[in-house]
Amino acid sequence: HAQLAAALAGLGRDAEAEPELRTVLRADPRDLEALFNLAQLLWRTARREEARGLYARFAELAPPAYAGARRLAAARAAAPAP
């Protein structure tokens, strides 16, 4: 599901990618790739409140190797509502 979601999102097919990412997260709520990708998709589609929650969770779970993504996630999690 994660690979399909990434491919769909890459093609701009967010409406199809979203349920695939949610399926991955139901099976493994700690899947970092799915957390980050769903947060990105939600941010891109102006669902910022839900995206902020996912970014915050990603920032908490991601190991140091994900430093760049952690910084982006932390910044977006703290971003004010539009």
Side-chain angles (χ1 to χ4, degrees), residues 3-82:
Q3 292 172 340
L4 175 59
L8 290 168
L11 294 170
R13 294 165 60 181
D14 290 337
E16 295 169 79
E18 183 178 344
E20 296 297 328
L21 289 166
R22 291 187 187 280
T23 296
V24 172
L25 290 172
R26 274 192 300 279
D28 181 4
R30 299 174 64 91
D31 185 299
L32 294 176
E33 183 179 345
L35 274 173
F36 190 79
N37 287 339
L38 182 56
Q40 291 283 85
L41 184 153
L42 293 171
W43 190 269
R44 203 170 43 250
T45 57
R47 292 179 281 166
R48 303 273 166 96
E49 191 61 35
E50 187 179 0
R52 277 193 280 281
L54 293 173
Y55 279 128
R57 190 161 43 142
F58 175 87
E60 289 173 14
L61 295 173
Y66 288 80
R70 284 174 63 189
R71 281 192 297 277
L72 172 64
R76 285 195 171 164

